[in-house]
Amino acid sequence: MHKFKNVAAILMVSALILASVGCGKSKETTKKEKKEKKETSAEVIEKDETEEEATTSENEEVIEDASTFDAAMEAMSQDFYGYVQEKLGANPDKIHETDAAELTKEMAYSGKYYALSDKEEPRLDCCVFDSEKEALNRFMDEYYNPFNETFKPDMFKGEYQCVLEEGHGYIVVNGTDTCTTIFGDFYRSGREVYAGVYYEGNTIVIIMPKNNVKNERVEEVMKLLGLPTADGENT
C-alpha cells in the first residue's frame, strides 16, 4: 500500500512538471505573438503616416499652384512698389502713389491708387480700397456686369476668361470685336486688344495696352506678375 502511494505521488509530480512545462511554452508563444502583433501594428501605423504625409505634400502643392493669382494680388495690395520692381524690374521713379480720394469724381474712393507710368510698359493700375465691399461693388458695377451685358461671344474673335468667385474675380480678353467698353470705346470693335481687370479682396488691378506697347508685352507682364491670362494660365 505504501508502495502504491509512492508510485501515485511520482505520477502526480510528473503530471505537475509536464503541466508546468506546457504552461511555460504557452506563455512564451503568447509573448511572441503579442510582440509580432505589436511590430505589425507599428508597421501599419508608420505606413499610414507615410502615405498621409505624401498626400498632404501633394495637396500643399496643389493649393500653392491654385493660389498664384490670390498671392499676386495680395502682394500688390501690400507692397505694390516692391512687387512691381521685383517682378518687372520697374524703375521706382515710374511708380506713383496717390490718395484715391483726390482722383476725379468718377474714380475717387477711400484708399490708395498706384500706377506705373513707364511708356515702355502697358498701363498698370492698382486700386487698394479701405473697404472690401467697395472694391467688390466697383468691380461688379464697372467691369463684371457691363462686360456680361455687352460682350458678344459669337462676334468676338480670340480668347477670353470671365470669372467671379467668392472673394475674387477677373476678366481677361485677347482678340477683336469684344463689343464691350470696359477697356474703353477704342477697343470695342475692329481693334485687337489684350487686357485684364482683376479683383481680389480689397484690390483691383488693371492691365491694358498703352502707347505702342504690343499685346505680347501685355501678356508677358500678366505672366510675370502671376495674374491670369486669356488662355487660362495662372488661374
Side-chain angles (χ1 to χ4, degrees):
M1 187 69 180
H2 181 69
K3 187 176 180 181
F4 176 76
K5 287 183 178 178
N6 289 339
V7 172
I10 291 171
L11 290 174
M12 289 179 67
V13 170
S14 298
L16 289 170
I17 292 173
L18 289 172
S20 175
V21 171
C23 290
K25 184 178 181 181
S26 176
K27 192 172 182 180
E28 288 177 3
T29 302
T30 302
K31 286 182 178 180
K32 185 178 180 181
E33 290 175 350
K34 287 182 177 179
K35 183 178 180 182
E36 290 176 349
K37 287 180 179 180
K38 186 174 181 181
E39 290 175 350
T40 302
S41 298
E43 291 175 357
V44 171
I45 292 172
E46 184 177 356
K47 182 180 179 181
D48 290 342
E49 289 177 347
T50 301
E51 291 177 352
E52 183 178 355
E53 288 176 358
T55 302
T56 301
S57 178
E58 291 175 359
N59 288 339
E60 286 176 349
E61 291 178 1
V62 171
I63 291 171
E64 183 178 353
D65 291 341
S67 64
T68 300
F69 164 53
D70 292 342
M73 293 293 287
E74 183 177 357
M76 281 188 279
S77 69
Q78 297 294 324
D79 183 14
F80 185 79
Y81 281 95
Y83 193 74
V84 172
Q85 288 179 58
E86 176 189 350
K87 298 299 182 180
L88 303 184
N91 183 340
D93 294 336
K94 301 293 184 179
I95 304 173
H96 306 285
E97 176 184 339
T98 306
D99 183 344
E102 298 176 1
L103 299 175
T104 61
K105 184 177 180 181
E106 294 76 14
M107 286 289 296
Y109 59 89
S110 178
K112 294 293 183 182
Y113 173 77
Y114 301 91
L116 178 64
S117 63
D118 193 333
K119 66 180 182 179
E120 302 297 328
E121 296 288 10
R123 172 184 167 187
L124 175 57
D125 299 343
C126 178
C127 307
V128 181
F129 296 76
D130 289 342
S131 165
E132 290 189 4
K133 183 178 180 180
E134 189 175 359
L136 172 60
N137 290 340
R138 177 69 65 94
F139 178 73
M140 296 296 293
D141 294 343
E142 297 191 12
Y143 299 100
Y144 188 80
N145 290 335
F147 179 81
N148 284 285
E149 290 168 1
T150 59
F151 181 69
K152 305 296 183 185
D154 294 337
M155 297 180 63
F156 178 69
K157 304 175 186 68
E159 298 176 310
Y160 77 98
Q161 298 286 327
C162 181
V163 175
L164 179 63
E165 298 176 350
E166 185 176 357
H168 73 227
Y170 49 87
I171 301 167
V172 194
V173 298
N174 176 25
T176 59
D177 299 319
T178 65
C179 298
T180 180
T181 61
I182 65 169
F183 297 114
D185 290 338
F186 186 77
Y187 296 110
R188 186 173 63 83
S189 63
R191 292 183 175 87
E192 184 177 7
V193 61
Y194 203 138
V197 56
Y198 309 90
Y199 149 71
E200 158 68 26
N202 69 333
T203 305
I204 293 177
V205 171
I206 301 166
I207 299 178
M208 59 181 294
K210 183 184 67 177
N211 300 327
N212 296 318
V213 177
K214 296 182 178 180
N215 285 327
E216 289 78 7
R217 180 53 183 171
V218 176
E219 182 180 49
E220 186 178 8
V221 168
M222 291 175 178
K223 290 180 178 180
L224 289 171
L225 293 177
L227 300 173
T229 53
D231 59 6
E233 290 190 18
N234 291 335
T235 57

